[in-house]
Amino acid sequence: MASQIPALPQSYTPRTDSVFSDQSGFHSLDSNVPGLSKVILNNLNMKDYGDYRAALEGKAKGISFRNYKEMFQKMEETFKFCTGCNKLPEHLTEGQTLKRCVKCLNVYYCTKDCQRQDWPQHKKVCKMLRLVAIDRLVEWLMFAGDLPFPTEKWSKSAAEVKTWDDWLSMQGDLTVRLDNIVSGAKMAALWNNACRPRPDDADLQQSLWRVQSEFLSRVLTVGMGLQHFGLDPCAKPLTIHLAGVSHNETMGARLTDYDELNCMFPGHQGIEIVMVGPEVVDGSILRPPLKVFGPKQRVYISAYQALYHQFWEEVVEKQEAAKPDLVIGFHPGFHANQGLLEGWLPTLLLLRDYNIPSFFTVFSELELRCSLQILTELEIHIKGSGPNPFTSQKPEQVQACPNKPLVYCNSHYVSFQGLLPREDFGADSFHMFHFLAVQKIKGKPMMAFHSQKEMFEKMEESFKICAHCEKRPNQLSNPQSLKRCARCLNVYYCCKECQKEDWPKHKKFCSQLRLAAIDRVVEWLVFKGDLPFPTEKWSKPQSEIKNWDDWLAMQGDMTARLDPILNGTNMKDLWTNASRPRPDDDDLKQSVWRVCSEFFCRPLTIAWGMKMLGLNPYSKPLTIHLLGAGHCETLAARLTDYDELNNMFQGHQGMEIVMIGPEVVDGPIVRPPLRGSGPKHRVYISAYKGLYHQFWEEVVEKEEAAKPDLVVGFHPGFDASQGLDEGWLPTLLLLRDYDIPSLFTALNETEMTYSLQILLELEMNLKGSGGNPFKSLKPEMVGLCLNKPPVYCNSHYFCFQGLLERVEFEEPEEP
């Protein structure tokens, strides 16, 4: 029995646990500018979210205005808040007024001070926001009927049209079509009633094209998906389901909206488009899907209001609609919050288990990365991903955060089909599995091999994929044709042509990938006990050790420590069983050092944080919480793993390290934390399995563990997490509200930048950020994306403490 779409909230309650993306959108607005969603609803003459959704679903009177002028004024008022301090008009002090930026005519400020302080951020996007301001008015012509303008029949095959330039080259001179719209009565009415001056004709022509591109982007992306999966509508009729559609795709939708497919595939056998989603808006397309194939050379559009898995159970399984040849999702957003993920999860599993070719788009590379992470965790077989050559050309602003980088509809894509074959798990997955081969989680073996040789053979097989065409052994007529790059011994190619075409990309990283290939084998010695090598007591105070060179200078000649490892039995057995030749001793010494640097960078980063935040373990015992700890930090962890802190702070008053995270692995460190101070001159390690805010409530608040002097997070990844609200958000707010000194690390500058953006939105008081002088020196591959720049553990840091102080501006005196 299919579950019902969740009932409408009875009051104005934006939240993130809903399958309705607009409801979580309202929540996002209020998170950045409190009260903004209520302003929007008021301007739509609606009392709450229930009215809004009922109007969209045709269950209540829709939005109405007395005239165009009122409509455009109301629309403009939804953008009226101070971009500097987020004040709405109703919160302004007497005498204050919101003034628009004269350059972009898009954002407002309540004082010159706010504008001046915001300018370093706003100047990066001011020019683009000017275009956004024009486009959101010109877009009205879509509903007025002037757009989209008519297009020409294709003079090239779909396979030859690979970019917008290819498409435009078939359209000839667009001037006549654009001029007719620019000089038309509806364009005149638009700017006579808009709350801003009319742009010049050249600007309006460019805006018309951008708005048109967003409309056509969906159709051309569908065509791209068909070609991606080798589906030919000229060979047989095709059924395409658009899953997760909303009012964006269905409000004002017409039965002719996908007729560009007729131009793309002339003489096709028939194409059916079925739009499915809980936010489908009532209209002409809301009609039953076809039970049998429709007329040839026509596109038939229908729509169904429900979650996709409900539609499958209620309609497809009852044979009241055809099973799809392809499923498309435009900006599904399942990474954004728990409600949307829960709505999407049954659908994603259905698509996987029924082996349905699927092609989804996202707004940005960050969203793509988050989505790929979720699909990978669901063991879905990803076929491809990257920038969409038919991305919309119309920039979109984040309404409540106008200075954020602008995004573009259908900017990136990900394609997937079926379940990931077990033998095809990627590098990162197998990296964890080979650890599990020699360890136990909760006392149960997770994976076992007959021998070390089998373990390394399996590990090597996980990398066997052509780095250029991404074909795997089971997709080749001769699986033995996959050959390794002779330089790096890390990536494979199925033929010389693939290797030749991939070389311009691969040559940038070939030497680093060679090191990564050696390191992932040598890393096994950590679990055999040969690594990390012993270190010396520090001959200098911690304040003088500012980078790895300073640390190495205190270690003296390490030959005597490295030679026994290189000549030992474990190293010999390692390369006897590994599926590659043994490197020379110099390479192995360097690899041993890189692997150890990843191990030592954690205690050294903790000390770096203590120094920056003014914590002294000589003056009092310190408690340090490592939150978000996972299998990387706790699998095979030992009670001595942070003893480098003893070398660093000789004679300290005692340090306690408590590792907390939902992925903590069972072992000797899983023991109760200390209630009081531990022994002097010692580091005491314990671990707790759970989210940090749960640990705080269940242990710290009950005084079963000491409150932390410092919280450290190694690669928390909250910038990429679809579960931010449930996982990291309560923890971040706890750290902020309890004013706890915190230091987090990131894998690269991009991850650090996104994390800082989130912390700023949470009004965290940032203390510093930058490159970590004690980052790991061991390059890490990015999953199966072999020709991407390697990343390094703890590469960057950012520290924060407490709530950002708000500065109140005095009213300027009257002249």
CSV table of all heavy atoms in Angstrom, one decimal, residues 306-336:
chain,number,residue,atom,x,y,z
A,306,ALA,N,2.9,13.0,-6.6
A,306,ALA,CA,3.2,12.0,-5.6
A,306,ALA,C,4.8,11.9,-5.5
A,306,ALA,O,5.5,12.4,-6.4
A,306,ALA,CB,2.6,10.7,-5.9
A,307,LEU,N,5.2,11.3,-4.4
A,307,LEU,CA,6.6,10.9,-4.4
A,307,LEU,C,6.8,9.8,-5.5
A,307,LEU,O,5.9,9.0,-5.7
A,307,LEU,CB,7.0,10.4,-3.0
A,307,LEU,CG,7.0,11.4,-1.9
A,307,LEU,CD1,7.1,10.8,-0.6
A,307,LEU,CD2,8.2,12.4,-2.1
A,308,TYR,N,8.0,9.7,-6.0
A,308,TYR,CA,8.2,8.8,-7.2
A,308,TYR,C,7.9,7.3,-6.8
A,308,TYR,O,7.3,6.6,-7.6
A,308,TYR,CB,9.6,8.9,-7.7
A,308,TYR,CG,9.8,8.1,-9.0
A,308,TYR,CD1,9.2,8.6,-10.2
A,308,TYR,CD2,10.5,6.9,-9.0
A,308,TYR,CE1,9.4,7.8,-11.4
A,308,TYR,CE2,10.6,6.2,-10.2
A,308,TYR,CZ,10.1,6.6,-11.4
A,308,TYR,OH,10.2,5.9,-12.5
A,309,HIS,N,8.4,6.9,-5.6
A,309,HIS,CA,8.1,5.5,-5.3
A,309,HIS,C,6.6,5.2,-5.1
A,309,HIS,O,6.2,4.1,-5.3
A,309,HIS,CB,9.0,5.1,-4.0
A,309,HIS,CG,8.6,5.8,-2.8
A,309,HIS,ND1,9.1,7.0,-2.5
A,309,HIS,CD2,7.8,5.5,-1.8
A,309,HIS,CE1,8.6,7.4,-1.3
A,309,HIS,NE2,7.8,6.5,-0.8
A,310,GLN,N,5.9,6.2,-4.6
A,310,GLN,CA,4.4,6.1,-4.5
A,310,GLN,C,3.8,5.9,-5.9
A,310,GLN,O,2.9,5.1,-6.1
A,310,GLN,CB,3.8,7.3,-3.8
A,310,GLN,CG,4.3,7.4,-2.4
A,310,GLN,CD,3.9,8.7,-1.8
A,310,GLN,OE1,3.4,9.6,-2.5
A,310,GLN,NE2,4.0,8.9,-0.4
A,311,PHE,N,4.3,6.7,-6.9
A,311,PHE,CA,3.8,6.7,-8.2
A,311,PHE,C,4.1,5.3,-8.8
A,311,PHE,O,3.2,4.7,-9.5
A,311,PHE,CB,4.5,7.7,-9.1
A,311,PHE,CG,4.4,7.6,-10.6
A,311,PHE,CD1,3.2,7.8,-11.2
A,311,PHE,CD2,5.4,7.2,-11.3
A,311,PHE,CE1,3.0,7.7,-12.6
A,311,PHE,CE2,5.3,7.0,-12.7
A,311,PHE,CZ,4.1,7.3,-13.3
A,312,TRP,N,5.2,4.7,-8.5
A,312,TRP,CA,5.6,3.4,-9.0
A,312,TRP,C,4.6,2.3,-8.5
A,312,TRP,O,4.2,1.5,-9.2
A,312,TRP,CB,7.1,3.1,-8.6
A,312,TRP,CG,7.6,1.8,-9.2
A,312,TRP,CD1,7.5,0.6,-8.7
A,312,TRP,CD2,8.4,1.8,-10.4
A,312,TRP,NE1,8.1,-0.3,-9.6
A,312,TRP,CE2,8.7,0.4,-10.6
A,312,TRP,CE3,8.9,2.7,-11.2
A,312,TRP,CZ2,9.5,-0.1,-11.6
A,312,TRP,CZ3,9.7,2.3,-12.3
A,312,TRP,CH2,10.0,0.9,-12.5
A,313,GLU,N,4.4,2.4,-7.2
A,313,GLU,CA,3.5,1.4,-6.6
A,313,GLU,C,2.0,1.6,-7.0
A,313,GLU,O,1.3,0.6,-7.3
A,313,GLU,CB,3.5,1.5,-5.0
A,313,GLU,CG,4.9,1.2,-4.4
A,313,GLU,CD,5.0,1.5,-3.0
A,313,GLU,OE1,4.0,2.0,-2.4
A,313,GLU,OE2,6.1,1.3,-2.4
A,314,GLU,N,1.6,2.8,-7.1
A,314,GLU,CA,0.2,3.1,-7.4
A,314,GLU,C,-0.2,3.0,-8.9
A,314,GLU,O,-1.3,2.8,-9.3
A,314,GLU,CB,-0.2,4.4,-6.9
A,314,GLU,CG,-0.1,4.5,-5.3
A,314,GLU,CD,-0.2,6.0,-4.8
A,314,GLU,OE1,-0.4,6.9,-5.7
A,314,GLU,OE2,-0.1,6.2,-3.6
A,315,VAL,N,0.8,3.2,-9.8
A,315,VAL,CA,0.5,3.4,-11.2
A,315,VAL,C,1.3,2.4,-12.0
A,315,VAL,O,0.8,1.6,-12.8
A,315,VAL,CB,0.8,4.8,-11.7
A,315,VAL,CG1,0.4,4.9,-13.2
A,315,VAL,CG2,0.0,5.8,-10.9
A,316,VAL,N,2.7,2.4,-11.9
A,316,VAL,CA,3.5,1.6,-12.8
A,316,VAL,C,3.3,0.1,-12.5
A,316,VAL,O,3.1,-0.7,-13.4
A,316,VAL,CB,5.0,1.9,-12.6
A,316,VAL,CG1,5.9,1.0,-13.4
A,316,VAL,CG2,5.2,3.4,-13.0
A,317,GLU,N,3.3,-0.3,-11.2
A,317,GLU,CA,3.2,-1.7,-10.9
A,317,GLU,C,1.8,-2.3,-11.2
A,317,GLU,O,1.6,-3.5,-11.4
A,317,GLU,CB,3.4,-2.0,-9.4
A,317,GLU,CG,4.9,-1.9,-9.1
A,317,GLU,CD,5.3,-2.3,-7.7
A,317,GLU,OE1,4.3,-2.5,-6.8
A,317,GLU,OE2,6.4,-2.6,-7.4
A,318,LYS,N,0.8,-1.4,-11.3
A,318,LYS,CA,-0.5,-1.8,-11.8
A,318,LYS,C,-0.7,-1.7,-13.3
A,318,LYS,O,-1.8,-1.9,-13.8
A,318,LYS,CB,-1.6,-0.9,-11.1
A,318,LYS,CG,-1.6,-1.1,-9.6
A,318,LYS,CD,-2.6,-0.1,-8.9
A,318,LYS,CE,-2.7,-0.2,-7.4
A,318,LYS,NZ,-3.6,0.7,-6.8
A,319,GLN,N,0.4,-1.5,-14.0
A,319,GLN,CA,0.5,-1.4,-15.4
A,319,GLN,C,-0.4,-0.3,-16.0
A,319,GLN,O,-0.9,-0.4,-17.1
A,319,GLN,CB,0.1,-2.8,-16.0
A,319,GLN,CG,1.1,-3.8,-15.6
A,319,GLN,CD,0.9,-5.2,-16.3
A,319,GLN,OE1,-0.1,-5.4,-16.9
A,319,GLN,NE2,1.8,-6.1,-16.1
A,320,GLU,N,-0.6,0.7,-15.2
A,320,GLU,CA,-1.4,1.9,-15.7
A,320,GLU,C,-0.4,2.9,-16.3
A,320,GLU,O,-0.9,4.0,-16.7
A,320,GLU,CB,-2.2,2.5,-14.6
A,320,GLU,CG,-3.3,1.5,-14.1
A,320,GLU,CD,-4.1,2.1,-12.9
A,320,GLU,OE1,-3.8,3.3,-12.5
A,320,GLU,OE2,-4.9,1.4,-12.4
A,321,ALA,N,0.8,2.6,-16.3
A,321,ALA,CA,1.8,3.5,-17.0
A,321,ALA,C,3.0,2.6,-17.4
A,321,ALA,O,3.3,1.6,-16.7
A,321,ALA,CB,2.3,4.6,-16.0
A,322,ALA,N,3.7,3.0,-18.4
A,322,ALA,CA,4.8,2.2,-18.9
A,322,ALA,C,6.0,2.4,-17.9
A,322,ALA,O,6.2,3.4,-17.3
A,322,ALA,CB,5.2,2.7,-20.3
A,323,LYS,N,6.8,1.3,-17.8
A,323,LYS,CA,8.1,1.5,-17.1
A,323,LYS,C,9.0,2.4,-17.9
A,323,LYS,O,9.0,2.4,-19.1
A,323,LYS,CB,8.7,0.1,-16.9
A,323,LYS,CG,8.0,-0.8,-15.9
A,323,LYS,CD,8.7,-2.1,-15.6
A,323,LYS,CE,7.9,-2.9,-14.5
A,323,LYS,NZ,8.5,-4.2,-14.2
A,324,PRO,N,9.9,3.1,-17.2
A,324,PRO,CA,10.7,4.1,-17.9
A,324,PRO,C,11.9,3.5,-18.5
A,324,PRO,O,12.5,2.5,-18.0
A,324,PRO,CB,11.1,5.0,-16.7
A,324,PRO,CG,11.2,4.2,-15.5
A,324,PRO,CD,10.1,3.2,-15.7
A,325,ASP,N,12.3,4.1,-19.7
A,325,ASP,CA,13.6,3.8,-20.3
A,325,ASP,C,14.7,4.6,-19.6
A,325,ASP,O,15.9,4.2,-19.7
A,325,ASP,CB,13.5,4.0,-21.8
A,325,ASP,CG,12.5,3.2,-22.5
A,325,ASP,OD1,12.8,2.0,-22.7
A,325,ASP,OD2,11.4,3.7,-22.8
A,326,LEU,N,14.3,5.8,-19.1
A,326,LEU,CA,15.2,6.7,-18.5
A,326,LEU,C,14.5,7.5,-17.4
A,326,LEU,O,13.4,7.9,-17.6
A,326,LEU,CB,15.8,7.6,-19.5
A,326,LEU,CG,16.8,8.8,-19.1
A,326,LEU,CD1,18.1,8.2,-18.5
A,326,LEU,CD2,17.0,9.7,-20.2
A,327,VAL,N,15.2,7.7,-16.3
A,327,VAL,CA,14.6,8.6,-15.2
A,327,VAL,C,15.6,9.8,-15.1
A,327,VAL,O,16.8,9.7,-15.0
A,327,VAL,CB,14.5,7.9,-13.9
A,327,VAL,CG1,14.3,8.9,-12.8
A,327,VAL,CG2,13.4,6.9,-13.9
A,328,ILE,N,15.0,11.0,-15.2
A,328,ILE,CA,15.7,12.3,-15.0
A,328,ILE,C,15.3,12.9,-13.8
A,328,ILE,O,14.1,12.9,-13.4
A,328,ILE,CB,15.4,13.2,-16.2
A,328,ILE,CG1,15.8,12.6,-17.6
A,328,ILE,CG2,16.1,14.6,-16.0
A,328,ILE,CD1,17.2,12.6,-17.9
A,329,GLY,N,16.3,13.6,-13.1
A,329,GLY,CA,16.0,14.4,-11.9
A,329,GLY,C,16.7,15.7,-12.0
A,329,GLY,O,17.9,15.8,-12.0
A,330,PHE,N,15.9,16.8,-12.1
A,330,PHE,CA,16.5,18.1,-12.1
A,330,PHE,C,16.6,18.7,-10.7
A,330,PHE,O,15.6,18.9,-10.0
A,330,PHE,CB,15.6,19.1,-12.9
A,330,PHE,CG,15.5,18.7,-14.4
A,330,PHE,CD1,14.3,18.5,-15.0
A,330,PHE,CD2,16.7,18.6,-15.2
A,330,PHE,CE1,14.2,18.2,-16.4
A,330,PHE,CE2,16.6,18.2,-16.5
A,330,PHE,CZ,15.4,18.0,-17.1
A,331,HIS,N,17.8,18.8,-10.2
A,331,HIS,CA,18.1,19.3,-8.9
A,331,HIS,C,17.3,18.6,-7.8
A,331,HIS,O,16.5,19.2,-7.1
A,331,HIS,CB,17.8,20.8,-8.8
A,331,HIS,CG,18.3,21.6,-10.0
A,331,HIS,ND1,17.4,22.2,-10.8
A,331,HIS,CD2,19.5,21.8,-10.4
A,331,HIS,CE1,18.1,22.8,-11.8
A,331,HIS,NE2,19.4,22.6,-11.6
A,332,PRO,N,17.5,17.3,-7.6
A,332,PRO,CA,16.7,16.6,-6.6
A,332,PRO,C,16.9,17.1,-5.2
A,332,PRO,O,16.0,17.1,-4.4
A,332,PRO,CB,17.2,15.2,-6.8
A,332,PRO,CG,18.5,15.2,-7.4
A,332,PRO,CD,18.4,16.4,-8.3
A,333,GLY,N,18.1,17.6,-4.9
A,333,GLY,CA,18.3,18.2,-3.6
A,333,GLY,C,18.3,17.3,-2.5
A,333,GLY,O,18.2,17.7,-1.3
A,334,PHE,N,18.5,15.9,-2.7
A,334,PHE,CA,18.4,15.0,-1.6
A,334,PHE,C,19.6,15.1,-0.6
A,334,PHE,O,19.6,14.6,0.5
A,334,PHE,CB,18.3,13.6,-2.0
A,334,PHE,CG,19.2,13.1,-3.1
A,334,PHE,CD1,20.6,12.9,-2.8
A,334,PHE,CD2,18.9,12.9,-4.4
A,334,PHE,CE1,21.5,12.4,-3.7
A,334,PHE,CE2,19.8,12.5,-5.4
A,334,PHE,CZ,21.1,12.3,-5.0
A,335,HIS,N,20.6,15.9,-1.0
A,335,HIS,CA,21.7,16.1,-0.1
A,335,HIS,C,21.5,17.2,0.9
A,335,HIS,O,22.2,17.3,1.9
A,335,HIS,CB,23.0,16.5,-0.9
A,335,HIS,CG,22.9,17.9,-1.5
A,335,HIS,ND1,21.9,18.3,-2.5
A,335,HIS,CD2,23.5,19.1,-1.1
A,335,HIS,CE1,22.0,19.6,-2.7
A,335,HIS,NE2,22.9,20.1,-1.9
A,336,ALA,N,20.4,18.0,0.7
A,336,ALA,CA,20.3,19.3,1.4
A,336,ALA,C,19.8,19.1,2.8
A,336,ALA,O,20.3,19.8,3.7
A,336,ALA,CB,19.3,20.2,0.7
